[in-house]
Amino acid sequence: MTAGGSTRSRRGLLYLTAAALAVAWLLPGRPVPIYDGIGAPDEPYRYVSVPPGVQIRTRPPTLAKVTVPVERGVASVVELFTSEQGPQAEADITGPSLLTVPPASGSTPAPRSITVTLTPLAPDPADPQIDGNIYRLTWVAGSSTPTFHNNGADLFYLRATVGPPPRATFLYRHGPSEPWRAVATELAGADIYSALIQGAGDYALTRRPFPAAATGNANSGTSPWSLILVTILILAMVGAVLTIRLMRIRSAT
Amino acid sequence: MNGGFPPPRAMTAPLTARTTILLLAFACAVCLRSVLSGASGSESMSAGLVFAGCLTALGVAAGLPAPRRPMISVLSGTLGAAVLTVPALLRADPVSLAQRPIAGFVPWIAVAATVAVTEEAFLRGTLFGLITQLHGEAAAVLVSAIAFAGLHVPLYGWHVVPLDIAVGMLLAMLRILTGNWCAAAVAHVLADAAGWWL
């Protein structure tokens, strides 16, 4: 490659890099760029209504809202999360299961989009001891209500007000007048819990024992498969280091 | 630079083999970190340090270029970090910025900087040098950027890929423009440090 060609090539790479950065920053996504593998600590929990005895002053919690197009009666992938660092609530509705909407009937055209919303609410004094806010998941498609078909992989995430222990349990109710029920809960991070999306309705965390609480077994212990996998990966690493070293020695001689 | 002629196959075969093994071992290191992190994800500092150890061992075994031109690296790296952090700063919440505790910053940045420097030494040092010899700078920029994005996927999910590829390309351009990987390391560490508040 000539010097002029090299300069042109580098200039082209520089333009490509600037374009890639501009596109990446313009894409909707989490508000904070993540460059490295050590997660920055979360900002203090934002309450809708700060509980008695908690000394904290924050901005109000954010709601999340996303409108997704409907194709052949099915909405595409929906991922929405609130804008705190890190998000206090997130709903990932993926795959083909999704939200189907009623077809056109008579003079009513079929909806072209679905709007999914996550709204933070303050717990009612009558509620069980809830850790943080209640998050209400709703979806609408024009004047109709879409139907949800859980494919077993659609998850709701909530960040607890502080990290464990004690572990928290997910609570769900279809509407404000219905009772809370516990749902199988997984620990998805130091202070993040996940549960299968049950449908539209209210989601919250509690740290108190709850009747019929069914919790997942994430982090309940190290499985033997994990140990075997770690051993294999360490051996592969050692093998790679030795092989590369030997190759360099041979090429030098 | 080789005057426009590709290097003879007898010369490139060992380099190709070494690069392939290096990339496979890098994938193993990413998997190892992911398994060790478990539910803690990116918050597992011990898994981050194990990952840094793996990258250091691989980089040194494959021939890590020595750091050079410290002043140029620091100045270019600082400029690179400014480019990376200004958009986030513009979107940051001032109240949250003011409330971020300073107490845990020192141990956190010590680990984050260790991981960042080893990532840059491996990706923009060792790997970049090998791929440049084999296929040129453009390939080195793209492969190192894709590897950079790929290592973050198990920790954060697929949504970080566009941003991390773009950031990886910027760090690779710093490597090209300054002639060594240290500027990329400085930019990476400063951007991570700013991430505490952003």
Side-chain angles (χ1 to χ4, degrees):
Chain A
M1 193 182 286
T2 63
S6 171
T7 306
R8 272 198 302 275
S9 164
R10 287 180 176 182
R11 195 177 296 146
L13 281 171
L14 205 54
Y15 290 148
L16 189 63
T17 302
L21 275 172
V23 169
W25 281 326
L26 290 173
L27 282 175
R30 291 179 200 278
V32 177
I34 299 164
Y35 303 122
D36 203 10
I38 305 297
D42 297 327
E43 66 172 283
Y45 194 89
R46 299 191 197 177
Y47 292 92
V48 176
S49 173
V50 180
V54 175
Q55 297 288 325
I56 196 166
R57 187 180 146 267
T58 63
R59 297 187 82 174
T62 59
L63 67 75
K65 192 175 195 175
V66 66
T67 299
V68 290
V70 173
E71 289 177 14
R72 295 177 193 160
V74 180
S76 53
V77 171
V78 177
E79 183 190 36
L80 73 163
F81 38 80
T82 57
S83 301
E84 299 84 13
Q85 166 63 26
Q88 290 180 186
E90 175 173 340
D92 292 344
I93 307 171
T94 59
S97 65
L98 263 263
L99 306 158
T100 55
V101 295
S105 61
S107 60
T108 310
R112 291 185 173 179
S113 64
I114 293 177
T115 300
V116 186
T117 311
L118 263 177
T119 310
L121 302 166
D124 190 81
D127 288 326
Q129 194 152 17
I130 281 173
D131 183 61
N133 305 320
I134 295 169
Y135 280 88
R136 179 163 294 165
L137 178 64
T138 55
W139 37 59
V140 291
S143 57
S144 60
T145 303
T147 312
F148 176 65
H149 304 284
N150 195 326
N151 65 1
D154 304 323
L155 294 172
F156 201 104
Y157 296 88
L158 282 176
R159 172 154 74 88
T161 54
V162 291
R167 279 190 59 159
T169 301
F170 246 91
L171 299 177
Y172 169 75
R173 67 182 178 189
H174 184 62
S177 59
E178 295 192 13
W180 289 100
R181 63 180 170 85
V183 292
T185 307
E186 300 280 350
L187 185 61
D191 54 3
I192 299 167
Y193 295 85
S194 69
L196 282 178
I197 292 177
Q198 308 293 307
D202 294 346
Y203 294 79
L205 291 176
T206 184
R207 290 183 187 277
R208 287 296 172 93
F210 200 83
T215 53
N217 58 1
N219 246 14
S220 58
T222 308
S223 78
W225 290 110
S226 298
L227 289 176
I228 291 169
L229 188 58
V230 166
T231 308
I232 290 171
L233 289 170
I234 289 172
L235 289 175
M237 287 298 308
V238 172
V241 168
L242 291 176
T243 307
I244 291 168
R245 187 82 192 115
L246 282 174
M247 289 171 89
R248 280 190 69 207
I249 292 170
R250 277 187 196 161
S251 65
T253 53
Chain B
M1 301 297 147
N2 52 31
F5 294 100
R9 194 177 183 285
M11 282 174 65
T12 61
L15 277 182
T16 304
R18 205 190 307 168
T19 308
T20 306
I21 294 171
L22 209 57
L23 282 169
L24 290 173
F26 173 72
C28 283
V30 172
C31 291
L32 182 62
R33 179 186 193 175
S34 181
V35 174
L36 291 176
S37 302
S40 299
S42 65
E43 291 170 24
S44 172
M45 291 198 176
S46 54
L49 288 173
V50 169
F51 180 65
C54 290
L55 294 192
T56 305
L58 286 171
V60 170
L64 179 65
R68 292 186 293 125
R69 304 159 80 184
M71 278 310 292
I72 288 177
S73 297
V74 170
L75 291 175
S76 313
T78 306
L79 193 63
V83 171
L84 292 176
T85 50
V86 163
L89 193 61
L90 294 175
R91 289 192 285 195
D93 169 13
V95 176
S96 297
L97 286 182
Q99 289 203 338
R100 187 54 51 86
I102 192 73
F105 179 74
V106 172
W108 174 80
I109 193 59
V111 178
T114 303
V115 177
V117 169
T118 54
E119 281 179 8
E120 292 312 317
F122 178 84
L123 293 173
R124 254 63 69 171
T126 308
L127 188 65
F128 194 97
L130 285 170
I131 295 174
T132 302
Q133 286 181 62
L134 284 169
H135 303 293
E137 286 178 341
V141 169
L142 290 178
V143 172
S144 62
I146 290 169
F148 181 71
L151 82 89
H152 292 124
V153 168
L155 302 172
Y156 302 116
W158 290 99
H159 67 276
V160 300
V161 167
L163 183 62
D164 277 358
I165 284 183
V167 171
M169 289 175 71
L170 180 78
L171 295 171
M173 289 311 297
L174 284 174
R175 159 73 167 84
I176 289 176
L177 296 175
T178 61
N180 76 98
W181 56 270
C182 297
V186 170
H188 195 154
V189 170
L190 291 179
D192 278 353
W196 177 273
W197 286 275
L198 299 177

